[in-house]
Amino acid sequence: MPWVPSCEGEVPTLGYQVADWMMANLSAPDAPEAEPFVPTAEQVDFLAGLYEIDPHTCNRLRHRALLSRPRGWGKSPFAAAISIAEMCGPVLCDGWGADGQPVGCSWQDRMYARVSIAAATQDQAIDNTWSAVLSMLDGAPACDNYDIIPGITQVTCPRGCVQFITASAGSAKGKRSVAAIMDQTETWLPGNGGVRLAQTLRNNATKLGGVTIETPNAYTVGERSVAEQSQKFADDAAAGHIKAQAAVSLLYSHRGAPWETDIGDWDSLIAGLRVAYGDSSAHPGGCVIHDPPCPPGWVDLERIAVDFWDTSNDPEVMRADFLNQIVSASNAWLTEPQLRAAAAPDVTVDGREPVTLGFDGSEGRKEGVADATVLIGYSVRRRHIFRIGIWQQPEGPAGAGWRPPRLEIEQAVEHAFRDYNVVGFYADPSAGWAQDVKTWEARWGRRLKARMSAAEPIRYRQRDVTATCEAFSELKSEILRGDVTYDGHPQMTAHMLHARKDPRRGGYVLTKPADQQDTAKIDACWGAMMAYRAGLDATGKPGVSATGGRHVPRRLY
């Protein structure tokens, strides 16, 4: 019979059966006396999503998952429990019962169930999830129920095993793993083989219809870790840039403290930690993610808060480890919390108020990935940066042979001068756009109040390094003070988060991360800087202070 929901809004899942199986078969890790492992309500919610079933095909919907929580939340024991369940538990749907609910069966009913626990290094694999596997099987009913034999390097039963591997992707290639636990993927980088291992494990799971599960802490923006790549996939899925069938295959569960958490204020810090730790919080008030709050857990939030105030600890590392807030590289121009504070997506720009433009052009490339071409606006009166157009090479095969759409870009410039009171326009003429800049100067140069020079009012000269350094530094200061906002567009945000400070004699300019020359985009930062500098140069000029006029929605291309 087909699936029959037992209540309105129910989705078919084996997650609750898997939770029951864990409680009946596994021991609580490191407990002073033998007691069963009991997942928290938060963990059961994750299992319900992980083991959701397609009501039409009986297949699992999730092919990959990510569970990001702070240190001490309990990711390793929980991942260990999942790995053992994948070897022996009812993780597959064998059809629908008489009540219309899914009937669970194990991988071993269909094939040999090999489960991999992977980490960047052997010590990492052993110290975290693998040690929890052995602890949870010590004296556990599962050993008798399924003839499990725990060993130093693998756990075996007649038709399955759990084993750990490290970031040597070649050793994992070809192994038919039905599931892989990918531990601390914020440390899986291109340089240590982690990215290649992740691809290998996903390919192995694809062959069998299996699953990969990441358990990272907060990653550092720009390192291109596996966790950061998964975040991008989740963001693209949420924005509708991924086909629906692929988007639903990812279960992405990241929770950190609110960005407004003030680590210098005790009450704010404790409140942020309570959000980040959820059910594992030992705070007397219990967690704050369920209504009513769950009973207190095991993490001493006050103890963690004290360490935040230890001046020998790096605040950014503490934020990543214990607030689970995604942090930026030490040489980042702006951090994600700073950008979030500056985002003002509801600001609209009036058609008569003075606006300046910044343009950074690029050409297509036969090899590698082209830079983006951007046209950025700056409202002199509102002190607000906004995206008019960002054109960048699509990823994958769709980007082969890509070149900026010149006609569309020229039309965007035309529309900007038609729809806004443009009083300044600075443009970088490099990368094949010199003739276009000359054309724009001939057509609109006379109406501009901000001028790079009398002869060439639009042409921006990057050789004036000191002025460029000052503009970037001043723009950052204005953003941090809250005096300048931006539209919060995802493309603008990505470009700003990629930007790195490159020291120069006069200060710094912005460059791409050293290991992402072909992938990271920062062109919108340069466009914003040129628009902002034009705004500074235009301020105080006759007619620039004019306000009011008709409302014109911003055009996005």
Side-chain angles (χ1 to χ4, degrees), residues 416-537:
F417 274 90
R418 183 190 67 193
D419 295 338
Y420 297 115
N421 175 23
V422 178
V423 297
F425 180 22
Y426 291 169
D428 181 359
S430 59
W433 290 87
Q435 186 58 49
D436 299 87
V437 171
K438 288 183 179 295
T439 300
W440 296 334
E441 286 177 330
R443 183 168 184 183
W444 290 300
R446 291 186 177 182
R447 67 179 277 187
L448 301 177
K449 308 298 183 180
R451 306 171 70 86
M452 286 300 299
S453 69
E456 296 178 310
I458 293 177
R459 181 187 178 94
Y460 184 82
R461 295 170 177 81
Q462 287 193 25
R463 65 173 179 268
D464 187 359
V465 176
T466 300
T468 298
C469 292
E470 290 176 351
F472 275 126
S473 179
E474 180 64 21
L475 177 55
K476 176 177 180 177
S477 297
E478 296 262 32
I479 290 174
L480 295 184
R481 287 197 299 265
D483 294 333
V484 170
T485 60
Y486 86 112
D487 62 7
H489 190 278
Q491 284 183 306
M492 290 275 287
T493 300
H495 284 223
M496 290 183 174
L497 288 177
H498 286 149
R500 300 290 184 266
K501 294 184 291 187
D502 185 15
R504 302 294 169 90
R505 180 175 297 178
Y508 64 83
V509 296
L510 298 189
T511 61
K512 301 176 183 180
D515 60 347
Q516 299 183 61
Q517 293 299 305
D518 265 355
T519 55
K521 301 288 186 292
I522 66 168
D523 308 273
C525 298
W526 282 86
M529 180 274 294
M530 286 185 279
Y532 170 76
R533 185 178 171 191
L536 294 181
D537 293 345

Side-chain angles (χ1 to χ4, degrees), residues 7 82 86 137 226 305 318 379 390 421 520:
C7 62
I82 293 175
E86 286 286 337
L137 288 174
V226 170
M318 297 295 288
S379 168
I390 297 179
N421 175 23

Side-chain angles (χ1 to χ4, degrees), residues 88 152 333 381 426 518 555:
C88 301
I152 297 176
W333 184 47
R381 178 167 66 89
Y426 291 169
D518 265 355
R555 292 178 178 270

Side-chain angles (χ1 to χ4, degrees), residues 257-281:
W259 287 112
E260 60 268 21
T261 299
D262 181 357
I263 63 175
D265 179 271
W266 181 267
D267 291 338
S268 177
L269 178 56
I270 291 295
L273 289 168
R274 288 184 68 194
V275 172
Y277 278 92
D279 288 356
S280 63
S281 165

